[in-house]
Amino acid sequence: MLNTPIDEILYNGSEQAIGIKSDGKVATCKYIVAAPEYFREKSMPVAKVVRCYCILAEPPPHTRESGSCQIVIPAAQAKRQTDIYVLVLSADHKVTPEGRYVALVSTTVETDDPAAEIQFGLNLLGHIIDKVVTVDDVLAPRSSGNDDKVFLSRGYDATTHFQTTSADVFDLYKRIFGQDLEIRTKNASSEE
């Protein structure tokens, strides 16, 4: 039940989740899978991420007028412990009107001045029409979820290429079903 306010988590006598109550209605289940923000008491902060969402009128300089780009600034180059990530998308991806670009610059917070930590990435964008900076906790589950049947994902880290998010999906699957998720591509010439 996406984007549903939760009034109560329903548990059985073994303290395992068996459903939720929302707006007077009950939905039963074998287990709950949720983002950690829904269960603050079952999650903990493991890092902070600074993100700057920017609106651009043109693609960043030196990107060959590309409608999208992904830039990873290595930590050593930025004299940091963690990389800085830059993602630019455009109308090609149906995320902006024609002639506008949206950029996201993010990194893991290492100092008391998070906004300054992303300046290296912001400098690559050229003229920024408008921007919003946020600092958020990255939450992680306190337990595997096997005991109470509440399986929590990890919060989004600074990466913009979804590698860690994909790894989290595989981890969730293994915690829930007790085995690795196996994804195979179907070869047109195979007999599978």
Side-chain angles (χ1 to χ4, degrees):
M1 298 175 60
L2 298 175
N3 295 319
T4 301
I6 299 171
D7 297 329
E8 181 182 359
I9 304 298
L10 305 175
Y11 292 93
N12 63 18
S14 301
E15 294 299 313
Q16 294 178 330
I18 57 168
I20 68 163
K21 185 183 279 189
S22 175
D23 200 25
K25 297 177 185 167
V26 172
T28 60
C29 62
K30 293 180 183 178
Y31 50 84
I32 293 173
V33 180
E37 292 80 8
Y38 281 99
F39 291 89
R40 291 283 181 162
E41 74 284 359
K42 295 179 182 290
S43 60
M44 60 187 170
V46 292
K48 286 192 179 295
V49 172
V50 58
R51 294 181 179 93
C52 184
Y53 303 90
C54 305
I55 305 296
L56 313 175
E58 57 193 21
H62 313 294
T63 59
R64 299 183 188 147
E65 301 296 314
S66 178
S68 68
C69 67
Q70 171 84 319
I71 303 166
V72 179
I73 303 165
Q77 183 177 345
K79 297 181 176 50
R80 300 177 40 78
Q81 295 175 359
T82 56
D83 297 339
I84 299 172
Y85 300 89
V86 180
L87 172 67
V88 179
L89 299 172
S90 68
D92 293 350
H93 302 92
K94 309 293 186 230
V95 295
T96 64
E98 200 64 47
R100 291 288 188 253
Y101 298 79
V102 63
L104 169 61
V105 179
S106 59
T107 193
T108 302
V109 173
E110 298 175 2
T111 71
D112 291 334
D113 189 4
E117 296 185 52
I118 53 174
Q119 192 59 51
F120 199 108
L122 293 173
N123 291 344
L124 300 177
L125 297 179
H127 177 68
I128 298 170
I129 296 172
D130 201 4
K131 66 182 179 181
V132 175
V133 176
T134 65
V135 177
D136 301 298
D137 285 331
V138 178
L139 300 175
R142 291 183 183 273
S143 70
S144 68
N146 288 307
D147 292 336
D148 63 4
K149 301 301 180 202
V150 177
F151 297 94
L152 302 181
S153 63
R154 292 181 63 87
Y156 290 115
D157 63 14
T159 61
T160 55
H161 49 61
F162 302 109
Q163 182 176 353
T164 54
T165 303
S166 297
D168 189 34
V169 169
F170 283 92
D171 176 63
L172 265 170
Y173 186 93
K174 186 168 188 165
R175 286 189 282 135
I176 295 167
F177 298 108
Q179 62 188 31
D180 290 331
L181 174 60
E182 189 175 318
I183 298 177
R184 291 185 247 165
T185 57
K186 193 167 188 175
N187 186 340
S189 63
S190 76
E191 298 199 16
E192 287 186 46

